[in-house]
Amino acid sequence: VSVCCCLFILFLFLSELTGFIATEIVNELYVDDPDKDSGGKIEVNLNISLPNLHCELVGLDIQDEMGRHEVGHIDNSMKIPLNNGDGCRFEGHFSINKVPGNFHVSTHSATAQPQNPDMTHVIHKLSFGDKLQVHNVHGAFNALEGADKLSSNPLASHDYILKIVPTVYEDMSGKQRYSYQYTVANKEYVAYSHTGRIIPAIWFRYDLSPITVKYTERRQPLYRFITSICAIIGGTFTVAGILDSCIFTASEAWKKIQLGKMQ
């Protein structure tokens, strides 16, 4: 009984110690703008490949409900030729206002519009805010990663409708990082201009959710760990004492029975 008792205590102690050392991530929801120091801006990272459209034709346009209308945004952006110059990979890092709006990849900023622009594409990355590399948090921080539209109609426009959710991650030291998750719905259609020409584009229309998701790293308090260990030791020895008493009483009774039989 004593050996089993010690092994049981050791097992429970190691289990409690593992839980005490491990970091627990607690999430909560509330209505607020967490990153008030951002100046009302959200950083965007976009990486997209258009394998059938020349780089000189590819441009990024940004517009929103605050009156921003920017055609051919080029700051912090890079175009990498693909397929011997027949295609293009666009990488951009830019900011948007915290109001509903859109940004789109198109040929609108090109000096000469192509006759049949091909908007088939693959999205490698679309993320907002700081990059979070936390294994225990599985969120939609890059929900469009790997979106493949290479088999779609080359002349079709693509609408990605995003609902952006502010996300805060607070580590054990109290440091906070601000990122954004998003959900997405998409549709394809052929758009005609007022002249009857087809001018396709890849639209990312976004709106912000008022709900903020907060993840907080927490660890079990020391006093709770000590209380659990005391409860384990005290409870185990109490139960072991009861078992030992029962076994001893049963053994004595069995001896008396045997002695009675022998007489």
Side-chain angles (χ1 to χ4, degrees):
V1 171
S2 298
V3 171
C4 291
C5 176
C6 291
L7 291 176
F8 187 65
I9 289 175
L10 179 62
F11 169 73
L12 293 181
F13 172 77
L14 293 176
S15 299
E16 285 294 325
L17 182 62
T18 302
F20 175 71
I21 295 174
T23 301
E24 179 187 12
I25 297 180
V26 181
N27 63 76
E28 59 181 311
L29 303 176
Y30 58 92
V31 178
D32 192 16
D33 178 11
D35 191 9
K36 295 182 177 63
D37 297 328
S38 64
K41 302 286 186 180
I42 300 175
E43 297 298 320
V44 184
N45 293 285
L46 175 63
N47 190 327
I48 184 172
S49 290
L50 298 95
N52 301 307
L53 194 65
H54 294 278
C55 280
E56 62 267 18
L57 300 174
V58 176
L60 176 69
D61 310 326
I62 308 171
Q63 56 190 30
D64 59 36
E65 291 187 0
M66 291 183 68
R68 181 180 184 182
H69 192 178
E70 187 174 348
V71 179
H73 180 89
I74 59 174
D75 295 338
N76 299 317
S77 63
M78 179 171 56
K79 300 177 185 179
I80 304 171
L82 300 175
N83 302 332
N84 297 320
D86 293 333
C88 186
R89 180 166 180 154
F90 179 86
E91 299 179 10
H93 178 78
F94 55 96
S95 62
I96 57 176
N97 295 315
K98 290 183 178 180
V99 295
N102 72 78
F103 52 90
H104 52 278
V105 177
S106 67
T107 62
H108 298 164
S109 61
T111 53
Q113 293 296 317
Q115 288 296 323
N116 296 305
D118 188 333
M119 282 295 167
T120 54
H121 61 278
V122 176
I123 300 174
H124 307 289
K125 181 179 182 181
L126 177 61
S127 63
F128 301 86
D130 295 340
K131 183 178 181 180
L132 293 181
Q133 291 181 324
V134 184
H135 297 295
N136 295 333
V137 175
H138 302 287
F141 296 97
N142 190 13
L144 277 173
E145 180 182 13
D148 188 335
K149 298 296 181 180
L150 295 179
S151 59
S152 61
N153 181 355
L155 297 177
S157 290
H158 300 265
D159 256 11
Y160 295 99
I161 303 166
L162 316 177
K163 178 66 73 171
I164 302 174
V165 182
T167 304
V168 183
Y169 188 87
E170 183 176 321
D171 59 22
M172 293 292 296
S173 65
K175 181 182 177 181
Q176 292 186 341
R177 285 177 286 171
Y178 304 98
S179 187
Y180 296 84
Q181 303 181 62
Y182 62 92
T183 59
V184 59
N186 69 286
K187 64 179 180 179
E188 269 181 51
Y189 58 94
V190 176
Y192 294 87
S193 68
H194 63 278
T195 60
R197 291 184 59 188
I198 300 176
I199 306 180
I202 305 168
W203 297 82
F204 300 92
R205 307 181 193 273
Y206 60 87
D207 194 5
L208 273 76
S209 169
I211 302 297
T212 294
V213 180
K214 183 177 182 180
Y215 297 98
T216 306
E217 286 186 355
R218 292 180 184 173
R219 188 167 289 165
Q220 182 180 341
L222 180 61
Y223 72 85
R224 188 177 297 173
F225 173 69
I226 295 174
T227 303
S228 299
I229 296 303
C230 292
I232 289 171
I233 296 173
T236 304
F237 274 115
T238 300
V239 174
I242 295 173
L243 290 175
D244 183 67
S245 177
C246 292
I247 293 171
F248 178 76
T249 303
S251 175
E252 290 296 316
W254 178 249
K255 286 180 181 179
K256 289 181 180 180
I257 293 172
Q258 285 183 326
L259 289 173
K261 286 182 178 180
M262 290 178 64
Q263 292 175 352

